[in-house]
Amino acid sequence: MYTAEISRNNPTAFLFVIDQSGSMDERMETEQTKAQFVADVLNKTLYQLVIRCTRADGVRDYFDVGVIGYGNSVRSGFAGALSGKVLHPLSQIEANPLVIEERMKRVPDGAGGLVDQPTKFPVWFQPTSSGGTPMTAAMRAAAEALAEWCDAHPDCYPPTVIHVTDGASTDGDPSQVSDALKQISTNDGECLLFNLHISTAGGEPVLFPESEMGLDEYGRLLFQMSSQFPGHLIDVAKEKGYKSVSSESRFFGYKAGYDVIVDFFDIGTRASNLR
C-alpha cells in the first residue's frame, strides 16, 4: 500500500481543509492573525508543489490540488477561475493565481551578510475569519470530492487531506464523517487524513504522538480522526528532527505554533515515488 508511482498518467491529490471561523482572527507570535499565517503557509506550499513539478516542458500534473474553507459557509477555498470545483490539476493552479504580490526575501550578499531582495509571491488562497466551525459539513464536502476523484483514478496513490483548525466543531461530532473519508480508497490504499490544531495559548505543542495519553477531550477527538503515519514519510519527519516518529504515530498536531505549522505542511505533502 502507498507504493503507486506518481506520474502525469497516475497523479495523486492533496486536499487542504482550512478553518476560517471567527476565532482565526486571533494573533500569533508573528503578529499575523492565525488566518493570515495559515494562508501564507498554504500559498507557499502550493508554490513549492508547482516548483517541484516544473520541468523544461512546463508544470507536470503529478498532483490534483484543492482547498475547502469553512466558516460562514463550506466552499472552495479558491476564487476566480478556480472557484467552480474543488480539485484542479497543478498546471491549472499555476496558471491562475489571484494576485502576484511582491515581497522581500533575505538572501546572502556574497560577502557573508544578508540583503533584502524583492521576490514574486503568488497568492491563491486569501485569509478570512468569520462565523462558526462547521467541521462536519467540511469533512462531508471533502469526502464527496475524494470519492469522485478515487472513482476516476482507481490505480493511483490515494489522496491526502490536510485539515487545519483552531477550535471545536459547531455542527456536531465529525468523527463518523471523517471515518468514512478515511475508508475511501484506490487500489493503492485508503485516503490519508492529517489533522493540525493551531493555538495562540502557548504551552508545549504535541506533534505526531503514538497515543492520546495526556490530551484533553478535543485533542483526543482529533487524534482519533487522524491517519497513522505512512511509512514513506517517517524518514522525512526524522530528517526534520522528529526522531520519535514511528508507524504507530498519528499524523496529528495539537496546540501548534509557528514552526510546527510549517513542518506539518511540508512533511504532509511529500508524496512517494514521484516520477
Side-chain angles (χ1 to χ4, degrees):
M1 294 297 181
Y2 307 111
T3 57
E5 181 179 291
I6 296 169
S7 66
R8 283 174 286 186
N9 291 329
N10 291 284
T12 189
F14 290 117
L15 179 55
F16 301 90
V17 180
I18 308 296
D19 182 347
Q20 295 186 298
S21 61
S23 57
M24 290 290 285
D25 66 358
E26 294 174 356
R27 294 196 177 273
M28 302 189 68
E29 62 264 39
T30 61
E31 294 303 312
Q32 293 174 297
T33 66
K34 288 185 279 191
Q36 289 168 333
F37 182 72
V38 170
D40 256 12
V41 176
L42 176 53
N43 284 312
K44 288 175 183 174
T45 300
L46 295 174
Y47 191 37
Q48 287 300 315
L49 290 175
V50 168
I51 290 170
R52 279 164 53 192
C53 297
T54 298
R55 303 291 186 269
D57 57 350
V59 177
R60 294 185 177 179
D61 288 326
Y62 297 131
F63 307 131
D64 290 341
V65 181
V67 183
I68 291 173
Y70 65 99
N72 273 334
S73 61
V74 177
R75 63 206 174 281
S76 169
F78 291 131
L82 300 175
S83 63
K85 61 178 185 174
V86 174
L87 289 161
H88 302 268
L90 191 61
S91 61
Q92 290 299 306
I93 304 289
E94 188 271 340
N96 290 286
L98 280 177
V99 293
I100 304 288
E101 295 181 357
E102 186 169 284
R103 299 192 179 185
M104 302 307 292
K105 181 179 181 181
R106 306 216 84 187
V107 297
D109 64 3
L114 295 170
V115 62
D116 286 334
Q117 183 180 83
T119 183
K120 302 296 185 184
F121 185 76
V123 171
W124 291 274
F125 177 78
Q126 293 185 316
T128 63
S129 48
S130 61
T133 311
M135 190 183 298
T136 302
M139 287 293 164
R140 187 175 295 113
E144 290 170 357
L146 295 181
E148 182 178 335
W149 191 94
C150 288
D151 283 347
H153 301 84
D155 296 319
C156 291
Y157 181 98
T160 300
V161 179
I162 296 180
H163 172 226
V164 182
T165 182
D166 77 335
S169 173
T170 55
D171 66 343
D173 184 348
S175 298
Q176 189 171 355
V177 178
S178 63
D179 285 347
L181 184 156
K182 287 186 291 183
Q183 291 171 16
I184 298 167
S185 64
T186 68
N187 295 330
D188 192 47
E190 296 175 337
C191 289
L192 296 164
L193 175 56
F194 303 160
N195 289 283
L196 181 67
H197 171 268
I198 61 175
S199 174
T200 56
E204 195 64 29
V206 176
L207 194 63
F208 309 139
E210 291 186 355
S211 80
E212 56 190 64
M213 188 171 61
L215 295 171
D216 58 25
E217 182 180 3
Y218 180 49
R220 291 195 297 272
L221 171 67
L222 288 177
F223 175 89
Q224 292 160 9
M225 286 170 56
S226 303
S227 297
Q228 287 188 293
F229 223 93
H232 66 277
L233 294 183
I234 292 175
D235 287 342
V236 178
K238 288 186 173 181
E239 286 170 10
K240 286 190 167 290
Y242 300 100
K243 301 300 185 185
S244 63
V245 169
S246 73
S247 59
E248 299 301 311
S249 300
R250 297 288 179 107
F251 209 115
F252 160 66
Y254 196 50
K255 296 184 177 177
Y258 178 89
D259 293 335
V260 169
I261 300 171
V262 174
D263 285 347
F264 195 92
F265 272 68
D266 186 33
I267 298 168
T269 52
R270 298 295 187 96
S272 67
N273 293 334
L274 187 64
R275 291 291 181 265

